[in-house]
Amino acid sequence: MAKLNFGGSEENVVTREEFPLSKAQDVLKDEVVAVIGYGVQGPGQALNQKDNGINVIVGQRKGTKTWDKAVADGFVPGETLFEIEEALERGTVICYLLSDAAQIALWPTVKKHLTPGKALYFSHGFGITFNEQTGIIPPADVDVFLVAPKGSGTSLRRMFLQGRGLNSSYAIFQDATGKAFDRVIALGIAVGSGYLFETNFKKEVYSDLTGERGTLMGCIQGIFAAQYDVLRANGHSPSEAFNETVEELTQSLMPLVAENGMDWMYANCSTTAQRGALDWWKKFRDATKPVFEDLYKSVATGVESQRSIDSNSQPDYREKLDAELKELRDSEIWQAGKTVRSLRPENQVVEA
């Protein structure tokens, strides 16, 4: 494990240089990794492990769309694709990648297959951290750990196929076998992590829930909508408002920030943009910080987790979700965005 300086703080990280794929393959050579859930994280993690030579199987309910997707992705019924209970029985490492609400519902089934020496793997600290709400309390004789890629399963797979890696956090909640560290790092490398940084279950879920509701999705959509609405209210066309609010940020600036950092971006834009950004960024920080403080408190006190459990466990959850997503999808900003995206050169059909 290496210690690296992050802005003046030393942190433990594991890189692919010190823990290469060959080492991960050796650690996992006698394991059967059962991926339970083939929705958001499941496909990317399962396929990356499969391509990396890990003995991985998938557990899904036969006759579902996700079962069919696993078949289309190359998992073979009766060989590498099984009903959930059979996969749980066969697996020595259980990758529990269902949604948080589904994890609660399936937990009694999973628990009875957690025999001594097995490992329970998460990609989110939710179930363990909020166990008073979820009821997920593993037996004492199994390893419990997590690898949490910092992005969607789609991004994890895409970057893997590009020869890149998505950074992941890792945490060990329970080391029953004395092998939990090697197991979790090997799995982190096998799923395609760029590097792995150390955390714990509580910090992972607190930062994750804050990030999803904040700058990753909730806050950024709110900021997009606010700027777009102000431009439209002042007579700007939908095309102009969308391009100045979203397209320039996502297509031009954010890739540069990802490569070089925001400090570089500030130093390499026009002097007019530079002056305005320097004058206004602290105002936006001060305006939004109280909202983030409220958000973090809501996460830390279990309000957000209970809200998720209560909402996502309702029998009509999907119908209500579809209605909320339709409102977002049908809004002018994202309808304008659909047209803007279609006009990108890479999306144009060029006649020979």
Side-chain angles (χ1 to χ4, degrees):
M1 189 182 301
K3 279 192 176 292
L4 295 182
N5 187 305
F6 292 85
S9 296
E10 278 200 340
E11 296 184 31
N12 293 324
V13 300
V14 181
T15 68
R16 288 192 276 188
E17 183 177 349
E18 61 182 299
F19 208 109
L21 178 58
S22 58
K23 184 175 180 179
Q25 291 169 332
D26 186 60
V27 169
L28 300 173
K29 67 181 185 297
D30 297 322
E31 304 276 14
V32 177
V33 180
V35 173
I36 308 300
Y38 208 75
V40 178
Q41 279 288 336
Q45 294 202 30
L47 287 168
N48 289 358
Q49 288 185 77
K50 180 172 175 279
D51 289 352
N52 274 332
I54 307 304
N55 184 11
V56 58
I57 62 175
V58 171
Q60 262 307 316
R61 290 187 175 89
K62 188 179 268 188
T64 62
K65 290 180 180 179
T66 46
W67 174 281
D68 294 341
K69 176 172 170 51
V71 171
D73 285 346
F75 291 97
V76 180
E79 295 181 14
T80 54
L81 175 61
F82 302 92
E83 290 275 3
I84 290 175
E85 283 227 44
E86 185 169 357
L88 287 168
E89 185 177 345
R90 288 172 175 264
T92 60
V93 176
I94 308 302
C95 289
Y96 206 22
L97 301 182
L98 293 168
S99 69
D100 294 321
Q103 284 188 14
I104 297 169
L106 191 66
W107 176 244
T109 302
V110 173
K111 187 174 181 179
K112 72 180 183 181
H113 290 285
L114 289 175
T115 50
K118 285 194 176 187
L120 180 61
Y121 166 112
F122 294 89
S123 281
H124 193 19
F126 191 101
I128 294 292
T129 300
F130 299 113
N131 60 24
E132 290 185 1
Q133 297 168 336
T134 67
I136 297 177
I137 302 173
D141 51 9
V142 300
D143 291 343
V144 182
F145 44 65
L146 69 77
V147 173
K150 298 298 110 180
S152 69
T154 301
S155 298
L156 182 72
R157 180 62 176 164
R158 182 181 297 148
M159 293 176 74
F160 177 86
L161 292 174
Q162 293 170 346
R164 301 162 63 200
L166 194 62
N167 300 332
S168 302
S169 60
Y170 77 91
I172 297 170
F173 179 76
Q174 197 166 274
D175 183 5
T177 67
K179 301 184 296 183
F181 177 80
D182 281 350
R183 282 171 125 180
V184 70
I185 299 302
L187 287 158
I189 298 298
V191 301
S193 302
Y195 78 90
L196 294 129
F197 61 93
E198 190 176 26
T199 187
N200 61 44
F201 273 63
K202 181 181 288 188
K203 287 180 179 177
E204 190 286 327
V205 71
Y206 283 13
S207 62
D208 190 68
L209 292 184
T210 300
E212 289 168 348
R213 288 150 179 75
T215 59
L216 302 180
M217 293 179 70
C219 173
I220 199 69
Q221 165 59 19
I223 291 172
F224 282 163
Q227 179 170 304
Y228 181 89
D229 288 350
V230 168
L231 290 174
R232 290 288 286 125
N234 283 278
H236 297 270
S237 69
S239 175
E240 183 170 54
F242 187 86
N243 273 283
E244 289 296 339
T245 300
V246 179
E247 192 75 352
E248 186 174 354
L249 174 70
T250 59
Q251 295 301 293
S252 175
L253 303 187
M254 280 299 105
L256 292 173
V257 173
E259 291 173 16
N260 306 295
M262 187 63 85
D263 53 336
W264 182 94
M265 190 74 254
Y266 271 47
N268 286 275
C269 61
S270 72
T271 54
T272 301
Q274 203 174 65
R275 182 69 268 142
L278 288 168
D279 287 346
W280 279 88
W281 80 262
K282 292 179 182 177
K283 294 181 182 180
F284 281 108
R285 178 199 62 191
D286 294 345
T288 59
K289 190 174 180 182
V291 180
F292 279 100
E293 289 171 340
D294 287 346
L295 168 56
Y296 193 87
K297 181 179 179 182
S298 187
V299 169
T301 56
V303 171
E304 292 299 308
S305 55
Q306 193 62 56
R307 159 78 173 147
S308 294
I309 293 168
D310 292 344
S311 173
N312 300 347
S313 300
Q314 296 299 314
D316 61 348
Y317 165 68
R318 283 292 170 189
E319 290 79 4
K320 290 180 178 177
L321 174 66
D322 288 343
E324 290 183 276
L325 293 176
K326 186 177 186 300
E327 179 186 0
L328 194 62
R329 183 171 59 248
D330 291 348
S331 64
E332 186 187 272
I333 180 173
W334 294 113
Q335 286 298 305
K338 185 177 180 181
T339 303
V340 169
R341 290 192 298 275
S342 74
L343 294 171
R344 293 174 188 164
E346 65 268 25
N347 293 331
Q348 295 292 297
V349 176
V350 179
E351 295 184 4

